[in-house]
Amino acid sequence: MPETARVALAHDYLLVLRGAERTFAAIADEWPQAPIHTLLWDPAVCGPRLAGHPVVVSRLNRTGARQSWFRWLLPAFPLAASAMPLPADADVAIISSSAFAHGMPSAPGTATLCYCHTPFRYAWFEGERALASVPAPARPALAATLAAVRRWDVRAAARVDRYVANGRITQERIARIYGREAPIVHPPVEVERFAPGTPEGHVLVVCELVRHKRVDVTLEAARRAGVPVRVVGTGADEPRLRALHGDHATFLGRVDDAQLAREYASAAALVMANVEEFGIAAVEAQAAGRPVVAADAGGARETVRDGETGVLVPPDDVDALAEALRETDLHRFDAARIAAHARRFSATAFRRRMREEVEALARAGGDAPR
């Protein structure tokens, strides 16, 4: 791709700095002056990390939506994305999406690449969980909204020239839902932020505290195993989790990067009960030399070497997870070997692979119907 090529960037919403947002930030680092389009934007949180990029927001940003309640805008997101055209003079648009950004229209001469974290989970494969999260009288309206989102999503996907998946499970979903092939580029992990320390006797959870993360499985398994657990993260499920497990789990809320590095280094292991598309936390823990006890599915199969950098257990099996925590000598793992494995997922490797994908698309000139 010529150095003079004009690149535009897009992401669903930029309200927090977690895995998907950090992945997008690594893409933005590779094209440091490119404009960013996003539906919602919190400059206090994301502005410092994306400094130097002009940011264009949708009309929905006028609502002042923040991470704690932006999901209530769900019915408006497809229309807002469709009404937010990417720059007409862009040669290439790089879209990072797990929901709506891939529906932002581009000009006929713009080649579009979507780095897909997953097709929108609540529309396609976690609809029952979404419906269970609202009062019964609201469920018919939400079901109708999700059906409309699915129809819109398929139309939006057809206009994308090239998809790139963050792992095998997302690759399979893209093929099944959109009928498209997608190469895999694993997300970037800022492995240099982490270093091995002195592990203690507790295990660690690092994630957003929402039901699909299955934190309750981890906390119940840790209780049965008699292992203390520390929890980093906040979310809608936090009050329930505190009420059920506050006697044996320590909830730390959100922590800064320095404290997070210390939490990883001092834990006996990270526990990841959810089936993740990739699972950046699992790689961060390994960069700190700590093993991962994870569900044997999804991204963990790509990032954790069973018996060498962690332990894989059947998904949603509290007894198996409790047994692994109780019976495994988590201190026997070689910290240096685990950290070396994690370096395969560095931000440098990610940026190189993304540039290769973008350059391949630019040479092809786009290959999807518009």
Side-chain angles (χ1 to χ4, degrees), residues 266-327:
S266 65
L270 176 81
V271 185
M272 192 173 74
N274 184 48
V275 177
E276 294 279 358
E277 286 81 23
F278 177 70
I280 285 177
V283 180
E284 291 179 339
Q286 291 174 88
R290 302 316 308 143
V292 177
V293 182
D296 186 11
R301 290 183 174 179
E302 299 171 74
T303 63
V304 180
R305 292 177 177 168
D306 193 19
E308 181 181 334
T309 71
V311 179
L312 300 179
V313 300
D316 275 335
D317 189 330
V318 175
D319 290 331
L321 182 54
E323 181 180 0
L325 294 178
R326 184 172 52 248
E327 302 298 334

Side-chain angles (χ1 to χ4, degrees), residues 119-120 124-125 153-154 157 172-180:
F120 186 44
W124 289 109
F125 49 89
D153 198 44
V154 170
E172 292 164 2
R173 290 169 180 168
I174 291 170
R176 174 169 52 86
I177 294 169
Y178 301 146
R180 305 286 294 277

